[in-house]
Amino acid sequence: MTPFPPLLPTLSREEDRLAALQRHELLDTPEEPAFDQITRLAAKLLKVPIALISLVDRDRQWFKSRVGLAVRETPREQAFCAHALQSDSLFVVGDASRDHRFAANPLVTGHPHIRFYAGAPLRTADGLTLGTICVIDNRPRPALSPEEEEALRDLSAMVMAHIEARRAVGYLHPVTSLSNRFRFLADIDALLADPAIRDRARLTVVTVDTAASQQYAELTRVLGQVSADAFEIDCARRIAACLPERTRLYHVSPARFACILVDQPESGLAATLDRIGSAIRSPFLYQGVPIATSTGIGFVHHPDRPAGSVELLRAATSAAHQSLETQKPWCAYDEEQDRASLRAFLLLRSLTEALAAGEGAADTATQNGGQLHIAYQPKVDLRRNGCIGAEALLRWTHPELGPISPAEFVPLAERTALVRPLTEWVIRAVLIQIARWRRRGIALPVSINISMLDLGANDFADRVAAMLDRHGIQADWISFEVTESALMTDRAVVDRQLDQLRRLGIEVEIDDFGTGQSALSYLKDIPATAVKIDQRFIRSIATERSDQIMVRSTIELAHDLGYRVVAEGVETVEACDWLRLHGCDIGQGYLFSRPLAPAAFENWLAAGAFRPAAVVMA
């Protein structure tokens, strides 16, 4: 008897064959019903206890589908299928115990005690053999009948047809040739359906964002799609090199990759994530130019978070976004953070609906209880104690969640395309209200808050001019309040828009002054008319010496440069007296009035309640 193992046949084009096997993304994937149906049919037609779809890797044979055999793979040196790879037709062994090539094979001398074997090659259109579909019996059998041979060849053709169709239906990403999101979701579902995995193992879903969406779009715009493709291919190579052996990498969306880890210990997971982070944070070289992008890595455990494939991918992606936003190397899924993200999405969707419902109906919305409405907070001349105007403040009452703070929903809108329609809704509603007040003899200017993104649009001033004409409003009946940070984002565009607004006759206030990053010297370059000191410096102005020094200095500097000074957050008579004593021009805050609905504002004016003495006595 020839000692085991026998010398395996030398295959031509072996490296090409192995590359083709990798490209088809079959190895180490979960069970798939279409393949299992074929193996069950093979066992039934050939009347055998074991049927396999075997893929022959470099050092193993791995079973994509199996009937009657518990193990998932065996060493290649033991594989009958390895001998079938070069067969032009079928490879048949009638009695392995009497065949010198296999008599000492552990699969013959031990379980499953193979005696009969028949395998049909799985060959691609370019002649590369991936493996076989084979049938096995533990009893010797005579040669296959012509009908049985034909059946096995047909089954082989069915397997290859499904393998090729599997590629054609979109399971591979066209750039990296990695399995894509559809394959990823299908593989998670298959793993969750496997009792051995579902009941006794822990799955960890990991997503890796190699660039923020805006960065990826910018990379594509500046260097072209070829560069973006090269970036993704390089990222895929780097990430794959960091994963545990035989862990599949998926390309689930532009610049986003994912993998599934089974029973990975926490220490091993942390080490893997650290390796990935280090690998992809190194600059990517394109034509000798180093390109660095932001990176986010997130993961979620199952069954710690019991869910299906779509939810697990979403949860891991949420964690990756958190990693990006917090600039942490990687983040575990955080349910509380996720709830905040879901709330943000709900608010954005609801805000879209509220704007759509109020489109063209700002007049109705301000007067008749629409979701969006405007409140007006008086501005008081501190020298004369007279109301000289009001600030328009957007309010939103959600039909289910109740009042939503502008501090919550306005920043969300500024991160989306909603900021433009939201600003236009506010301006339109205010212009309608101003026109109504003017007809009633209330001639007060109203200031409107605008976003940094509004000033960053080249046509903003033109759109404002058109709205003024449409509603018959003079430019000096309104002013705009803009945050200091907005002025520093894109000075060229912002300055052009501010200059155009000033030429129209619209005054500009610098809101929240003192909280931004700019130097005070920028004041001389900003075409504004007033500076509004943030309320955090005003609330303790009567007692906090540091606040007094900063506010007094700001008032003096602003006056020297020709600006009026507005103090917001005036809540006490002591603060009001201090500001009046040190020359502050205008006050705004709860000492005078809370923000009021239009009718309540009219009543407030009629009662003369803007006098601080009247407020205290009341």
Side-chain angles (χ1 to χ4, degrees):
M1 183 178 295
T2 304
F4 182 82
L7 187 65
L8 291 175
T10 300
L11 301 178
S12 61
R13 303 178 65 193
E14 173 67 355
E15 292 304 319
D16 291 340
R17 188 191 71 79
L18 291 170
L21 185 58
Q22 293 296 326
R23 283 196 304 273
H24 280 80
E25 291 278 313
L26 291 163
L27 291 170
D28 301 304
T29 56
E31 295 176 356
E32 297 178 48
F35 289 113
D36 293 342
Q37 290 169 359
I38 296 174
T39 50
R40 287 196 297 270
L41 182 59
K44 184 175 181 179
L45 290 176
L46 278 300
K47 299 181 176 61
V48 295
I50 299 174
L52 307 168
I53 295 176
S54 172
L55 304 170
V56 181
D57 200 359
R58 186 180 300 275
D59 57 1
R60 59 174 176 153
Q61 66 172 347
W62 185 83
F63 306 127
K64 176 61 183 170
S65 180
R66 63 200 192 282
V67 171
L69 188 66
V71 298
R72 197 64 190 264
E73 64 180 58
T74 65
R76 179 171 174 172
E77 61 192 22
Q78 299 176 10
F80 282 59
C81 296
H83 293 261
L85 293 182
Q86 288 197 129
S87 175
D88 292 331
S89 182
L90 304 181
F91 181 74
V92 180
V93 178
D95 185 351
S97 67
R98 295 180 177 275
D99 189 309
H100 72 278
R101 295 169 297 180
F102 304 107
N105 191 311
L107 300 178
V108 176
T109 59
H111 184 80
H113 301 287
I114 296 174
R115 292 296 180 268
F116 173 80
Y117 171 93
L122 302 174
R123 188 169 287 118
T124 65
D126 52 357
L128 298 170
T129 307
L130 306 179
T132 71
I133 178 171
C134 63
V135 292
I136 295 171
D137 203 339
N138 53 16
R139 295 180 300 174
R141 290 180 54 158
L144 296 175
S145 68
E147 292 78 10
E148 290 174 325
E149 288 184 356
E150 183 179 9
L152 194 55
R153 291 191 189 94
D154 288 344
L155 290 168
S156 172
M158 290 171 62
V159 173
M160 282 309 304
H162 182 65
I163 289 174
E164 296 300 336
R166 189 175 178 272
R167 289 173 61 88
V169 297
Y171 276 166
L172 297 184
H173 194 280
V175 174
T176 58
S177 294
L178 296 174
S179 293
N180 64 12
R181 181 172 62 89
F182 302 108
R183 180 78 265 159
F184 179 73
L185 297 175
D187 286 353
I188 293 179
D189 285 335
L191 287 170
L192 295 177
D194 185 342
I197 298 294
R198 182 185 64 234
D199 300 334
R200 295 190 294 276
R202 184 179 76 166
L203 297 183
T204 301
V205 175
V206 179
T207 59
V208 183
D209 282 355
T210 57
S213 58
Q214 187 174 2
Q215 287 180 314
Y216 183 78
E218 186 71 6
L219 179 65
T220 304
R221 184 184 70 81
V222 174
L223 296 179
Q225 189 60 52
V226 172
S227 171
D229 291 348
F231 169 75
E232 291 194 295
I233 292 170
D234 190 35
C235 287
R237 176 186 59 78
R238 296 186 189 190
I239 297 170
C242 299
L243 297 179
E245 186 179 4
R246 296 177 184 172
T247 299
R248 179 174 302 281
L249 182 64
Y250 300 81
H251 194 168
V252 294
S253 62
R256 178 176 296 156
F257 300 86
C259 65
I260 308 166
L261 303 174
V262 179
D263 281 339
Q264 181 85 346
E266 289 296 334
S267 58
L269 174 62
T272 297
L273 299 181
D274 286 339
R275 286 196 302 270
I276 293 172
S278 297
I280 59 180
R281 288 186 183 97
S282 299
F284 158 70
L285 290 176
Y286 181 70
Q287 296 182 353
V289 178
I291 301 170
T293 61
S294 56
T295 300
I297 303 174
F299 67 91
V300 62
H301 293 310
H302 183 281
D304 294 355
R305 178 170 178 78
S309 58
V310 174
E311 176 59 20
L312 288 173
L313 176 58
R314 191 199 64 77
T317 302
S318 173
H321 285 167
Q322 186 180 355
S323 169
L324 272 170
E325 291 174 359
T326 60
Q327 297 185 343
K328 292 182 179 179
W330 43 265
C331 286
Y333 171 74
D334 184 323
E335 189 170 1
E336 183 176 344
Q337 178 70 28
D338 192 39
R339 279 198 299 268
S341 298
L342 289 174
R343 176 180 169 87
F345 176 77
L346 171 63
L347 291 180
L348 285 172
R349 187 178 64 184
S350 298
L351 185 57
T352 302
E353 295 168 355
L355 284 169
E359 184 65 30
D363 188 16
T364 302
T366 55
Q367 298 298 316
N368 299 329
Q371 287 190 47
L372 297 174
H373 54 282
I374 304 294
Y376 296 86
Q377 186 169 36
K379 293 183 176 181
V380 173
D381 185 324
L382 295 181
R383 294 186 180 88
R384 300 180 178 85
N385 284 337
C387 181
I388 60 168
E391 179 183 0
L393 298 169
L394 177 62
R395 297 292 183 259
W396 179 20
T397 303
H398 191 281
E400 297 174 1
L401 302 175
I404 309 296
S405 169
E408 181 178 12
F409 73 83
V410 171
L412 291 176
E414 289 179 338
R415 288 158 53 184
T416 71
L418 283 175
V419 65
R420 175 167 172 162
L422 184 63
T423 299
E424 291 190 350
W425 189 97
V426 171
I427 295 175
R428 186 169 61 251
V430 171
L431 296 184
I432 291 170
Q433 185 60 58
I434 290 174
R436 179 178 290 113
W437 278 339
R438 292 277 168 167
R439 290 193 296 270
R440 296 178 181 176
I442 301 174
L444 292 173
V446 177
S447 63
I448 303 169
N449 292 282
I450 57 177
S451 163
M452 66 178 72
L453 297 178
D454 294 318
L455 286 173
N458 283 312
D459 64 342
F460 177 69
D462 293 335
R463 287 187 281 120
V464 170
M467 284 189 280
L468 292 173
D469 290 341
R470 188 179 310 122
H471 294 283
I473 302 298
Q474 294 180 196
D476 60 355
W477 295 356
I478 67 169
S479 63
F480 285 131
E481 295 190 16
V482 57
T483 59
E484 186 182 357
S485 58
L487 299 171
M488 297 304 110
T489 53
D490 187 337
R491 286 296 302 274
V493 176
V494 167
D495 285 349
R496 279 198 302 271
Q497 294 305 302
L498 290 173
D499 284 335
Q500 285 184 252
L501 293 173
R502 294 292 291 119
R503 285 197 297 270
L504 286 172
I506 298 174
E507 294 194 350
V508 175
E509 294 181 15
I510 303 173
D511 196 11
D512 298 335
F513 186 78
T515 62
Q517 301 296 318
S518 66
L520 293 177
S521 60
Y522 283 136
L523 281 173
K524 68 184 182 66
D525 298 322
I526 298 172
T529 55
V531 168
K532 194 170 191 180
I533 302 175
D534 187 73
Q535 58 188 339
R536 74 184 68 178
F537 301 110
I538 303 301
R539 287 201 174 109
S540 302
I541 193 70
T543 57
E544 291 292 335
R545 179 166 173 76
S546 59
D547 288 341
Q548 293 174 355
I549 293 171
M550 286 187 286
V551 172
R552 185 171 59 245
S553 299
T554 301
I555 292 172
E556 292 174 356
L557 178 61
H559 282 165
D560 288 344
L561 293 172
Y563 294 93
R564 293 192 310 277
V565 179
V566 182
E568 63 177 346
V570 182
E571 297 179 351
T572 66
V573 172
E574 291 78 12
C576 181
D577 289 343
W578 190 96
L579 290 165
R580 183 186 294 111
L581 178 65
H582 290 85
C584 184
D585 303 293
I586 300 167
Q588 179 181 344
Y590 284 6
L591 175 66
F592 310 112
S593 174
R594 293 175 178 271
L596 301 168
F601 183 84
E602 294 174 22
N603 294 335
W604 180 88
L605 282 174
F610 49 84
R611 288 191 294 273
V615 175
V616 174
M617 290 172 62

